Amino acid sequence: MSFYTNLGFLAFGSRLRRISETFIADVNSVYKEAGLEFDASWFPIFYILSEKERLSIREISEIAGVSHSAVSQLVTALQYKELIAISPSEEDGRKKEITLTKKGKNLLSQIKPVWNSIEKAMIQLSEEEKHCNKLLEQLGGLETALQKQPLKQRIEQILKKQ
């Protein structure tokens, strides 16, 4: 840990990735031990569809803030597992809408208590260290700043000045 800590912002992305990979591995382990065939990468689609029953890939992409391609790949995998269905929109037949299947809804009902436990565990974790309770707010600030000007542009500007 001190290797990354000593590098400061130079290793920021590496630290975030390492933390993210640890969280995802732990959550996937919890799903597996609970006998649930669910992968943490499916969370955004499942959660969004639990809130809004029918959405297009584009709508899911916009809500989740990820690329159309990434959502499309997840949708294909979930359709293969028979957890979601794709059907023509009732308003516009050219538009495809995604819904949870009966199997998907059943899995969702089993997963919701796990999500609740994950949230409680994360709150507990955030309260253990002095400034962790502000982490989500600070992360939001970082995301806002990156929307205004991506890191790539910032780096390129600095390189041009050198």
Side-chain angles (χ1 to χ4, degrees):
M1 172 99 98
S2 64
F3 169 75
Y4 291 106
T5 305
N6 291 337
L7 291 175
F9 277 112
L10 185 58
F12 186 71
S14 297
R15 287 178 79 180
L16 287 177
R17 172 172 269 169
R18 198 165 48 95
I19 290 168
S20 176
E21 288 171 351
T22 300
F23 283 175
I24 289 170
D26 284 351
V27 167
N28 279 335
S29 179
V30 169
Y31 290 137
K32 186 176 181 180
E33 289 175 17
L36 299 171
E37 289 187 42
F38 191 80
D39 188 275
S41 66
W42 303 346
F43 171 78
I45 290 178
F46 260 74
Y47 186 84
I48 290 167
L49 289 175
S50 76
E51 296 288 308
K52 299 180 184 245
E53 288 187 31
R54 302 180 81 74
L55 290 170
S56 69
I57 289 176
R58 181 187 54 77
E59 291 167 327
I60 293 170
S61 170
E62 288 172 359
I63 292 168
V66 296
S67 71
H68 184 281
S69 175
V71 172
S72 182
Q73 288 175 10
L74 279 174
V75 163
T76 299
L78 292 169
Q79 184 182 25
Y80 177 78
K81 294 195 172 283
E82 300 177 348
L83 296 170
I84 61 166
I86 302 173
S87 58
S89 167
E90 293 172 4
E91 296 104 34
D92 182 353
R94 298 169 297 174
K95 186 175 164 183
K96 303 283 188 210
E97 291 186 327
I98 314 301
T99 58
L100 291 173
T101 61
K102 185 176 179 181
K103 182 178 176 182
K105 289 176 183 177
N106 183 45
L107 181 58
L108 177 64
S109 70
Q110 295 173 45
I111 289 171
K112 282 187 173 184
V114 177
W115 289 353
N116 187 39
S117 297
I118 291 168
E119 184 174 32
K120 287 178 181 176
M122 291 301 296
I123 289 168
Q124 184 183 67
L125 182 62
S126 74
E127 292 171 347
E128 284 184 20
E129 292 292 327
K130 187 177 179 182
H131 298 286
C132 285
N133 62 346
K134 302 249 187 233
L135 184 59
L136 291 178
E137 183 181 322
Q138 293 168 344
L139 194 54
L142 181 61
E143 289 169 330
T144 299
L146 287 170
Q147 286 175 346
K148 290 178 183 171
Q149 185 180 21
L151 181 61
K152 180 180 184 281
Q153 288 178 358
R154 294 167 190 265
I155 294 168
E156 289 170 343
Q157 285 177 348
I158 293 168
L159 284 171
K160 285 178 184 176
K161 292 178 182 177
Q162 292 180 359

